[in-house]
């Protein structure tokens, strides 16, 4: 009998697990997933602190791809009855006939209302920036007129889109860009938009502009309805009862049932590229020592910088230099359990405990380093041990490894985060019950420094016959979850001879790619 072929997959995040799952479903290849952490899910994992669950970064489950949507619902059935907060408040939900009851079962996708706003000058603004009555009231007619004139000037004097600033000014005008985008982008990335490539905009806010938000405003004001709209304007999303990690834990269980392997706390150290440009084996550091795994196929979702360092004889000095210079933005989350918020719910949206309805709040106050605030109660009430009497918050800080924020002692950082949130009037420090801190290195691939030469690195990696780069970090591309999953599926199709490696890199690279449901 022919020897069974094996695929080594680095990373048990959305891309790595999706690749393993599809290899088992579509081929006879056995996947072995190597994960350096002691949990699955990668950046989409959910961590549990005394019954309060933390979603690292916040992950909405929304896609325009029917295959991805079907896969999600095959793993976790859609909500078919009111959730805890829906039930208590008699709030209307979009329920699925024959779906699961979240009050009776744990494996269920909740159908949630997306509310994200900007907190700036002590007031709330819509996110993405929208032309609505609150914006007009908060900014004033004079400033709104100035924004309108600036937008018209930008439309008639379009810039060549080299930098992210060019991209944003073309779509929003100089005035709105300076008001809402410039300083916040600098806070998130540690660089001004003049130092970031326009590619970032095409990945994250493609299709969105002041013109689109104006059209959206008119449609809502006069009751017109159309399709799903731009991705950035989607108003509902699915979310696992216990956070995104629940889905990836479910997928990991399915992979094991189908005959795949997942090794946790397994750190890839090196792999050798032979003269035929093929990876034959991988060396992995585990609790049992340094192990060697033979491989027929190698799928990597590890950061390209780490991949390059682990390659033995695979890249030249120029290509290594590009890989080593690829920038990342690191991330620190502080979870705070508080009795209440000082913010009042002045919206018409009902919530459990009448807290503000936001999933995310983008903090654009220049006086604090805090970038974004999650309210986990609103993602899912089941994320909180006692959602009726407490609020579970996630404070998100963007930083670089080894900078001042990263090196701060954990207890000092939690204290610092509490003081920042209190200083802008969101909580009273005396209401904090508990706090935790989580560091996430290489959370966000960035589009500056040697990124402009990434095509050279990509070409060299593609020459390695059995190497397939997948996922956000595996391609150094700021993908959403569904796009990361699609890169994994495309890699499996390439292994099966149905796709090329070029098709893997096309995912989310073109403005129209997967923009419409097929």
């Amino acid at each position: 009998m022919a020897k069974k072929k094996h695929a080594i997959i680095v990373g048990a995040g959305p891309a790595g697990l999706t690749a393993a799952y599809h290899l088992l479903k579509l081929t006879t290849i056995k996947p072995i997933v190597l994960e350096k952490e002691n949990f699955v899910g990668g950046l989409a994992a959910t961590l549990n602190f005394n019954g309060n669950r933390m979603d690292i970064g916040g992950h909405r489950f929304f896609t325009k791809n029917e295959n991805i949507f079907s896969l999600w619902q095959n793993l976790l059935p859609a909500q078919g009855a009111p959730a805890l907060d829906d039930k208590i408040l008699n709030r209307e939900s979009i329920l699925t006939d024959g779906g699961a009851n979240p009050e009776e079962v744990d494996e269920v996708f909740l159908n949630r209302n997306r509310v994200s706003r900007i907190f700036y000058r002590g007031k709330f603004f819509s996110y993405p920036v929208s032309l609505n009555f609150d914006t007009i009231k908060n900014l004033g007619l004079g400033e709104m007129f100035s924004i309108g004139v600036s937008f018209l000037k930008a439309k008639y004097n379009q810039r060549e889109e080299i930098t992210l600033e060019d991209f944003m000014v073309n779509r929003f005008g100089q005035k709105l860009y300076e008001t809402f985008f410039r300083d916040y982008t600098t806070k998130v990335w540690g660089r001004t938009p003049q130092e970031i490539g326009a590619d970032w905009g095409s990945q994250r806010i493609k299709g969105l502009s002041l013109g689109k938000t104006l059209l959206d405003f008119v449609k809502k004001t006069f009751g017109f309805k159309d399709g799903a709209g731009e991705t950035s304007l989607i108003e509902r999303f699915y979310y696992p009862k216990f956070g995104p990690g629940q889905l990836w834990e479910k997928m990991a269980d399915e992979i094991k049932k189908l005959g795949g392997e997942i090794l946790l706390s397994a750190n890839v150290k090196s792999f050798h590229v032979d003269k035929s440009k093929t990876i034959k084996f991988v060396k992995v550091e585990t609790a049992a020592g340094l192990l060697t795994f033979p491989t027929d196929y190698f799928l990597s979702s590890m950061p390209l910088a780490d991949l390059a360092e682990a390659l033995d004889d695979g890249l030249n000095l120029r290509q290594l230099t590009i890989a080593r210079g690829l920038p990342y933005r690191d991330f620190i989350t502080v979870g705070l359990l508080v009795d209440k918020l000082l913010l009042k719910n002045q919206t018409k949206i009902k919530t459990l405990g009448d807290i503000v309805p936001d999933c995310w709040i983008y903090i654009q106050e220049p006086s604090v380093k805090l970038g974004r605030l999650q309210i986990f109660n609103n993602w899912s009430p089941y994320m909180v041990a006692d959602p009726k009497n407490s609020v579970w918050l996630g404070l998100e800080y963007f930083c670089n490894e080894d900078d001042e924020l990263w090196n701060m002692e954990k207890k000092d950082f939690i204290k610092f985060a509490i003081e920042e949130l209190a200083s802008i009037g969101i909580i009273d420090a005396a209401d904090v019950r508990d706090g935790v801190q989580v560091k996430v290195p290489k959370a966000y691939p960035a589009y500056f420094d040697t990124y402009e030469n990434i095509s050279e690195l990509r070409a060299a990696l593609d020459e390695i016959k059995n190497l397939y780069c997948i996922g956000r970090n595996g391609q150094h591309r700021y993908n959403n979850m569904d796009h990361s999953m699609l890169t994994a599926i495309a890699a499996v199709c390439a292994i099966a001879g149905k796709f090329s490696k070029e098709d893997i890199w096309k995912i989310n690279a073109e403005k129209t790619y997967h923009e419409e449901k097929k």
Side-chain angles (χ1 to χ4, degrees), residues 26 61 134 138 159 297 452 510:
L26 303 176
F61 283 76
D134 286 337
N138 289 343
R159 298 184 180 190
Y297 305 97
E452 64 181 357
E510 299 172 4

Side-chain angles (χ1 to χ4, degrees), residues 32-167:
I32 300 174
V33 183
L34 306 175
E35 171 56 55
K36 69 177 181 179
E37 302 293 347
N38 62 358
F39 53 84
V40 302
L43 295 175
T46 302
L47 306 181
N48 192 332
F49 299 97
N50 301 320
N52 298 296
R53 292 174 169 84
M54 179 183 287
D55 178 352
I56 308 299
H59 294 83
R60 290 185 300 123
F61 283 76
F62 171 80
T63 184
K64 293 182 179 181
N65 185 279
E66 296 288 358
N67 292 331
I68 295 297
F69 184 71
S70 295
L71 174 57
W72 285 342
Q73 295 216 319
N74 285 339
L75 293 169
L76 294 179
Q79 177 180 354
L84 173 66
D85 46 357
D86 301 322
K87 193 173 181 180
I88 292 175
L89 297 167
N90 195 28
R91 185 169 63 194
E92 181 182 354
S93 293
I94 300 176
L95 306 177
T96 300
D97 290 340
N101 184 346
E103 287 289 88
E104 297 177 355
V105 300
D106 289 340
E107 292 189 352
V108 56
F109 254 133
L110 303 182
N111 192 317
R112 308 306 288 171
N113 184 38
R114 176 213 174 157
V115 181
S116 298
R117 291 183 292 175
I118 295 166
F119 191 72
Y120 178 55
R121 302 178 184 177
K123 299 175 181 177
F124 279 111
F125 294 82
S126 295
Y127 178 89
V129 177
S130 299
L131 180 60
N132 57 29
F133 296 115
D134 286 337
T135 302
I136 296 170
K137 180 181 68 175
N138 289 343
L139 291 178
L141 289 175
E143 193 159 356
M144 287 300 301
F145 178 77
S146 177
I147 287 171
V149 171
S150 175
F151 172 67
L152 292 175
K153 285 182 179 179
K155 295 305 290 182
Y156 284 100
N157 295 283
Q158 289 281 289
R159 298 184 180 190
E160 180 183 1
E161 292 185 357
I162 298 172
T163 69
L164 182 58
E165 179 178 283
D166 299 328
F167 181 94

Side-chain angles (χ1 to χ4, degrees), residues 399-470:
C399 59
N400 293 326
E401 281 190 79
D402 296 326
D403 69 9
E404 181 182 1
L405 290 178
W406 190 268
N407 289 325
M408 196 179 297
E409 291 292 330
K410 183 174 291 189
K411 60 180 177 57
D412 294 332
F413 196 99
I414 294 172
K415 181 175 181 291
F416 164 76
I418 293 170
E419 290 172 349
E420 283 215 322
L421 204 56
S423 73
I424 56 176
I426 292 180
I427 65 167
D428 185 327
D431 291 329
V432 177
R433 296 187 196 175
D434 197 7
V436 297
Q437 183 212 51
V438 177
K439 293 182 178 180
V440 184
K442 292 183 172 62
Y444 302 107
Y447 290 60
F448 38 85
D449 294 345
T450 61
Y451 176 79
E452 64 181 357
N453 303 121
I454 195 172
S455 60
E456 295 179 46
L457 175 62
R458 170 189 152 184
L461 294 172
D462 280 350
E463 287 180 3
I464 302 172
K465 296 174 183 176
N466 61 342
L467 171 63
Y468 302 85
C469 296
I470 60 175

